[in-house]
């Protein structure tokens, strides 16, 4: 079984005021260094050392970006970890925990207090 990460980085960052992907994405990618990664770009081109795909319909929202990222995964990928590009505090331990429990259910969501589901 192969696990890969799909990093959603296609948004316009309108509330942030500038392309936050350029500032925050490197830390996210560092937390995923043990995985194959597909980064989905859209509003802004990304000059990064990672497999990048463009979501031409990024303005339709994260679902459109997710579809683009999932379609770009290799045929050997059995599990996808969906990660947001604007989470520089992503802890690699949280990533490992999700991967360790990948067979527990068809879909998993991170939880930090065993009650509140939240993105790591």
């Amino acid at each position: 079984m192969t696990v890969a990460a799909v990093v959603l980085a296609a948004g316009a960052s309108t509330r942030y005021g500038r392309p936050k992907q350029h500032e925050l994405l490197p830390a996210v990618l560092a937390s995923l260094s043990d995985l194959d990664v597909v980064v989905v770009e859209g509003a802004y081109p990304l000059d990064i050392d990672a497999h990048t795909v463009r979501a031409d319909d990024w303005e339709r929202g994260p679902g459109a970006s997710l579809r683009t990222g999932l379609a770009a995964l290799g045929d050997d990928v059995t599990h996808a970890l969906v990660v947001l590009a604007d989470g520089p505090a992503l802890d690699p331990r949280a990533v490992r925990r999700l991967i360790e429990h990948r067979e527990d259910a068809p879909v998993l969501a991170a939880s930090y207090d065993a009650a509140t589901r939240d993105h790591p």
Side-chain angles (χ1 to χ4, degrees):
M1 287 185 242
T2 301
V3 178
V6 174
V7 180
L8 305 181
S13 305
T14 53
R15 289 175 294 188
Y16 197 72
R18 59 190 180 278
K20 62 184 169 184
Q21 299 89 323
H22 295 161
E23 295 174 36
L24 305 177
L25 184 57
V28 171
L29 293 176
S31 294
L32 301 170
S33 62
D34 294 339
L35 296 174
D36 290 333
V37 175
V38 171
V39 179
V40 183
E41 68 178 13
Y44 307 105
L46 300 172
D47 184 20
I48 57 173
D49 186 23
H51 178 192
T52 305
V53 295
R54 176 163 176 75
D56 291 325
D57 58 348
W58 66 269
E59 291 179 275
R60 297 187 69 189
S65 299
L66 179 58
R67 284 188 294 279
T68 298
L70 292 173
L73 296 176
D75 292 337
D76 62 326
V77 175
T78 57
H79 296 80
L81 179 71
V82 179
V83 179
L84 303 178
D86 61 355
L90 177 63
D91 191 327
R93 295 173 297 179
V95 172
R96 283 193 298 276
R97 278 193 306 273
L98 281 171
I99 291 171
E100 288 168 3
H101 292 279
R102 68 186 174 272
E103 297 299 327
D104 292 359
V107 176
L108 298 175
S111 171
Y112 287 98
D113 61 8
T116 305
R117 289 189 348 202
D118 197 6
H119 202 281

